[in-house]
Amino acid sequence: MLKVIVVDDEPLARKGMMVRLQEFADLEVIAQCSNGQQAIESIIALSPDVVFLDVEMPGFDGFAVLKQLQAQQVPLPYIVFVTAYDHYAYSAFEVNALDYVLKPVEPERLRQAVEKIIKIYQAQDTQRHKGQLAEAVAKLTGDDAGNILQRLDNAEPVVNDRFPDAISIKDSGEITRVPVAAIEWVDAAGDYMCIHTRDGQTHILRRTMKELEQELDPKLFVRVHRSAIVNVHTIAKLQMLANGEHQLMLTNGQAVKVSRSYKDRVKQVFNQ
């Protein structure tokens, strides 16, 4: 539900707007103001989503109210100017008002303005939730939040559940298929990556860490460092070193450093 403030120096105009706004279930009027100063104070104190703001008022008019709020760096709500004169329309849009409604307010015109507000609010709310989801998935998977957000916008799967069972590695004219389940850990070596497998072999792969990470199931592999990925089934313990840093000890005795930016992701492995 959107919180609304009605601002108008005419009591009858305020009352009329209050009555009309009661017809909209998505709106809740939380305050009404009779002048610009009251409007400024109420907007700062109550943080409304929408303000129906009269243009012509003694003291601070509607435009002066916005200037004062901007001067105080107050986040602006959606503004719908209410005026008896249509020549204010251009100025209203110059200050990024969402809409303007002429007095006397006609029910149909008010309905159009409210529907516009709700549509824009829902679109922004959806985008905000998408952004939060993208950040959460990025934190879990190491994927780029921007890429995840783009997949959400395109109605594509956020996380690919189909991961390859093996990785093909070319070396000296040969192609070796390395089973993903056999990989214990991976570390970067310049422009190459060293893939260490359960049988003690090390395979050299020319690919970026980010590209490989996207091919590995995040339920089975965790990024622990900018240059290291570990199979969660090979993790024996997490150690805190004397200098405050952390490292993983793998079941094969290998120690792998954990960077601070990936520490929370590693701890989640132990909480599963």
Side-chain angles (χ1 to χ4, degrees), residues 56-102:
E56 292 194 326
M57 294 182 293
F60 289 111
D61 65 13
F63 296 109
V65 168
L66 294 189
K67 289 179 181 178
Q68 285 292 321
L69 292 172
Q70 290 174 327
Q72 297 182 50
Q73 297 183 333
V74 177
L76 292 181
Y78 298 129
I79 301 294
V80 177
F81 278 115
V82 183
T83 175
Y85 305 99
D86 59 4
H87 65 263
Y88 285 118
Y90 179 76
S91 298
F93 290 119
E94 271 194 328
V95 294
N96 295 322
L98 190 63
D99 207 342
Y100 77 98
V101 177
L102 291 177

Side-chain angles (χ1 to χ4, degrees), residues 27-253:
L27 303 183
E28 177 189 8
V29 179
I30 58 173
Q32 51 178 311
C33 306
S34 60
N35 58 62
Q37 185 59 46
Q38 285 184 6
I40 294 169
E41 294 171 357
S42 295
I43 291 171
I44 293 174
L46 301 176
S47 300
D49 300 301
V50 186
V51 175
F52 288 87
L53 181 60
D54 187 19
V55 173
E56 292 194 326
M57 294 182 293
F60 289 111
D61 65 13
F63 296 109
V65 168
L66 294 189
K67 289 179 181 178
Q68 285 292 321
L69 292 172
Q70 290 174 327
Q72 297 182 50
Q73 297 183 333
V74 177
L76 292 181
Y78 298 129
I79 301 294
V80 177
F81 278 115
V82 183
T83 175
Y85 305 99
D86 59 4
H87 65 263
Y88 285 118
Y90 179 76
S91 298
F93 290 119
E94 271 194 328
V95 294
N96 295 322
L98 190 63
D99 207 342
Y100 77 98
V101 177
L102 291 177
K103 295 180 180 180
V105 177
E106 297 180 357
E108 178 60 22
R109 180 66 185 90
L110 181 61
R111 183 187 64 79
Q112 293 174 358
V114 171
E115 288 180 350
K116 182 178 181 180
I117 292 168
I118 294 173
K119 184 177 181 180
I120 292 176
Y121 177 82
Q122 289 176 339
Q124 292 186 346
D125 193 47
T126 298
Q127 198 63 25
R128 182 165 58 249
H129 284 302
K130 283 184 178 179
Q132 293 170 347
L133 176 59
E135 290 293 339
V137 174
K139 188 174 182 180
L140 288 171
T141 66
D143 196 357
D144 181 72
N147 292 337
I148 297 170
L149 191 58
Q150 186 175 6
R151 291 200 291 272
L152 284 169
D153 290 337
N154 295 334
E156 298 174 356
V158 176
V159 178
N160 187 0
D161 291 330
R162 300 177 114 185
F163 298 95
D165 295 326
I167 294 175
S168 297
I169 300 177
K170 297 179 181 180
D171 184 29
S172 301
E174 296 182 347
I175 300 178
T176 303
R177 293 186 79 251
V178 177
V180 170
I183 298 174
E184 292 193 326
W185 67 293
V186 182
D187 67 329
D191 295 332
Y192 297 86
M193 283 184 297
C194 298
I195 298 180
H196 307 279
T197 55
R198 191 173 295 123
D199 58 5
Q201 295 189 57
T202 298
H203 302 273
I204 306 301
L205 177 66
R206 188 179 179 86
R207 200 179 303 177
T208 67
M209 184 68 72
K210 183 177 180 180
E211 289 172 346
L212 178 61
E213 185 181 15
Q214 291 175 348
E215 291 189 24
L216 299 175
D217 189 343
K219 296 177 183 177
L220 300 178
F221 292 87
V222 60
R223 183 88 171 262
V224 302
H225 193 276
R226 181 171 55 86
S227 58
I229 297 174
V230 171
N231 186 324
V232 297
H233 295 306
T234 68
I235 297 175
K237 55 186 174 182
L238 175 65
Q239 296 177 325
M240 184 173 178
L241 305 179
N243 59 3
E245 295 183 347
H246 290 75
Q247 72 174 13
L248 286 174
M249 291 302 299
L250 306 187
T251 53
N252 62 5

